[in-house]
Amino acid sequence: MARAGRPTIYDVAVRAGVSKSLVSLVLHGSPKVSDERRAAIQAAIEELGYRPSRAATALAGMRTCNVGLVIDDFRNLWFVDLLDGMRDVLDERGFQVSVADLRRDSHAVDGFVATHAEAIVIAAEPDPSAARVPVPVALVGGRAQKVPGADTIANDDAAGAALATRHLLDLGHRRIGHLTGAGGSATLRRDAFVATMREAGLDPLVAGGEDETTEESGFQATRHLLAEHPDVTGISAANDVMALGAAAALREHGRRIPDDVSLVGYDDSPLANSRYLSFTTVDDRSREVGAVAARAVLARIEDPSAEPQHVLIPPTLIERGTTAPPS
């Protein structure tokens, strides 16, 4: 639906189901637009009564060279490497990255559109309205919700969780628990853990699932796991932050890591590779995820008719000091 007042180029883009850049190409007579999309844009222009003024035409030719990054929690260190990967690519092209946290600003996507961001990377569960954003969108990470027409770049969460589980199995563990939380990535990792355990003929022990994947949720899930299954000898967590909470709960219960219980995180965040913690973890190659996402949105800024990319990046297991054979 058009916004109140004089229709804008964004209203045309939303009505036609295309990006603002594509509308701009049509207005400037570019031959790069398909006949089907050109017809849809022209129909939207007529329906809305859109008439570009000289000032609007001049503004349409301006570049903000800004890409918006939407995240769901600044406390999750996974975003550190993701942002670094984006900056590796965007800095060389003269683009800046602006970051917004959905916990602080639930309208972050609309805010980036209003400030003329040239593309938006969403590292959170997207709102359905993201499908109507008139600029290129990339969705990063495993997400329960999808955005039609968006690039999707993610670590292969299922493969990574299977790596973590098989690592514990190969060490000889048979009573293995998994700490999970809400969200698409956590769900993919939980399901892969369950499948890998069942393939081995073993019971999958799962704790958590309703809360965010925070340190506190990892702490509480581990307490529950130990209360229900005191014989557990191995634990995998949905991410390194939950693994940190698990470590605190294990210490509270007098369990030594890895002597009594082996612990595996996920993400290979700065937390995991600190000298003090030295978590065995799964490297989700989030820096590469960020770089691929940045290249994808740049490609669609340059050619709005380009097909969206869908990329799964394979993870690797990083063995450190928190796993060992069961005693």
Side-chain angles (χ1 to χ4, degrees), residues 271-292:
L271 183 73
N273 61 34
S274 68
R275 292 182 183 275
Y276 180 73
L277 295 174
S278 191
F279 282 158
T280 293
T281 187
V282 176
D283 181 0
D284 64 353
R285 298 167 65 187
S286 53
R287 190 173 192 129
E288 185 173 348
V289 170
V292 174

Side-chain angles (χ1 to χ4, degrees), residues 162 164-174 176 196-197 200 202:
T165 309
R166 291 193 192 104
H167 172 61
L168 292 172
L169 290 170
D170 289 345
L171 287 171
H173 295 277
R174 293 298 178 264
I176 302 172
T196 305
M197 288 293 287
L202 300 170

Side-chain angles (χ1 to χ4, degrees), residues 29 103 113 132 146 148 159 168 247:
R103 292 187 309 113
V113 172
R132 300 189 294 274
K146 303 301 179 185
L168 292 172

Side-chain angles (χ1 to χ4, degrees), residues 83-103:
L83 180 58
D84 276 348
M86 291 179 61
R87 292 286 303 271
D88 288 343
V89 173
L90 295 174
D91 285 358
E92 293 182 356
R93 298 287 298 275
F95 277 74
Q96 295 180 326
V97 182
S98 298
V99 183
D101 185 343
L102 285 177
R103 292 187 309 113

Side-chain angles (χ1 to χ4, degrees), residues 255-317:
R255 306 291 182 90
R256 297 167 300 167
I257 303 171
D259 304 77
D260 301 317
V261 178
S262 286
L263 180 62
V264 184
Y266 202 115
D267 288 340
D268 194 28
S269 66
L271 183 73
N273 61 34
S274 68
R275 292 182 183 275
Y276 180 73
L277 295 174
S278 191
F279 282 158
T280 293
T281 187
V282 176
D283 181 0
D284 64 353
R285 298 167 65 187
S286 53
R287 190 173 192 129
E288 185 173 348
V289 170
V292 174
R295 285 193 288 267
V297 294
L298 285 176
R300 292 216 290 145
I301 288 172
E302 295 174 359
D303 182 6
S305 63
E307 288 297 315
Q309 300 181 39
H310 304 288
V311 181
L312 268 185
I313 295 174
T316 57
L317 181 76

Side-chain angles (χ1 to χ4, degrees), residues 204-218:
L205 313 177
V206 178
E210 301 300 324
D211 300 322
E212 296 177 345
T213 52
T214 62
E215 179 183 350
E216 179 62 20
S217 63

Side-chain angles (χ1 to χ4, degrees), residues 6-305:
R6 180 173 179 171
T8 69
I9 191 171
Y10 290 100
D11 297 319
V12 174
V14 170
R15 177 64 64 90
V18 300
S19 69
K20 177 197 72 98
S21 301
L22 202 62
V23 176
S24 182
L25 287 176
V26 169
L27 293 174
H28 288 84
S30 171
K32 295 182 178 180
V33 185
S34 69
D35 291 341
E36 181 181 358
R37 291 187 173 182
R38 185 184 302 277
I41 291 168
Q42 290 172 338
I45 289 172
E46 289 302 317
E47 290 171 11
L48 295 172
Y50 172 72
R51 295 294 180 270
S53 65
R54 290 183 180 179
T57 302
L59 182 61
M62 293 175 61
R63 301 291 301 275
T64 63
C65 292
N66 186 56
V67 172
L69 171 61
V70 179
I71 64 176
D72 56 11
D73 192 343
F74 271 116
R75 296 169 297 181
N76 190 335
L77 295 177
W78 175 74
F79 297 119
V80 175
D81 285 342
L82 177 76
L83 180 58
D84 276 348
M86 291 179 61
R87 292 286 303 271
D88 288 343
V89 173
L90 295 174
D91 285 358
E92 293 182 356
R93 298 287 298 275
F95 277 74
Q96 295 180 326
V97 182
S98 298
V99 183
D101 185 343
L102 285 177
R103 292 187 309 113
R104 303 285 184 180
D105 180 7
S106 60
H107 302 289
V109 172
D110 291 338
F112 283 135
V113 172
T115 54
H116 306 291
E118 296 196 41
I120 300 173
V121 175
I122 302 176
E125 288 297 336
D127 186 275
S129 63
R132 300 189 294 274
V133 171
V135 296
V137 171
L139 188 63
V140 297
R143 302 297 165 194
Q145 304 295 324
K146 303 301 179 185
V147 178
D151 298 284
T152 56
I153 297 92
N155 158 252
D156 191 338
D157 292 292
L163 280 175
T165 309
R166 291 193 192 104
H167 172 61
L168 292 172
L169 290 170
D170 289 345
L171 287 171
H173 295 277
R174 293 298 178 264
R175 296 294 286 169
I176 302 172
H178 179 73
L179 312 179
T180 189
S185 291
T187 299
L188 289 168
R189 295 170 190 180
R190 178 203 66 204
D191 290 350
F193 164 77
V194 170
T196 305
M197 288 293 287
R198 286 178 175 163
E199 286 172 6
L202 300 170
D203 291 333
L205 313 177
V206 178
E210 301 300 324
D211 300 322
E212 296 177 345
T213 52
T214 62
E215 179 183 350
E216 179 62 20
S217 63
F219 178 77
Q220 296 298 342
T222 303
R223 295 179 83 185
H224 177 77
L225 181 68
L226 294 174
E228 294 290 321
H229 308 286
D231 59 342
V232 67
T233 65
I235 296 175
S236 70
N239 62 16
D240 293 332
V241 179
M242 288 194 82
L244 180 62
L250 288 168
R251 183 177 63 180
E252 178 186 76
H253 283 73
R255 306 291 182 90
R256 297 167 300 167
I257 303 171
D259 304 77
D260 301 317
V261 178
S262 286
L263 180 62
V264 184
Y266 202 115
D267 288 340
D268 194 28
S269 66
L271 183 73
N273 61 34
S274 68
R275 292 182 183 275
Y276 180 73
L277 295 174
S278 191
F279 282 158
T280 293
T281 187
V282 176
D283 181 0
D284 64 353
R285 298 167 65 187
S286 53
R287 190 173 192 129
E288 185 173 348
V289 170
V292 174
R295 285 193 288 267
V297 294
L298 285 176
R300 292 216 290 145
I301 288 172
E302 295 174 359
D303 182 6
S305 63

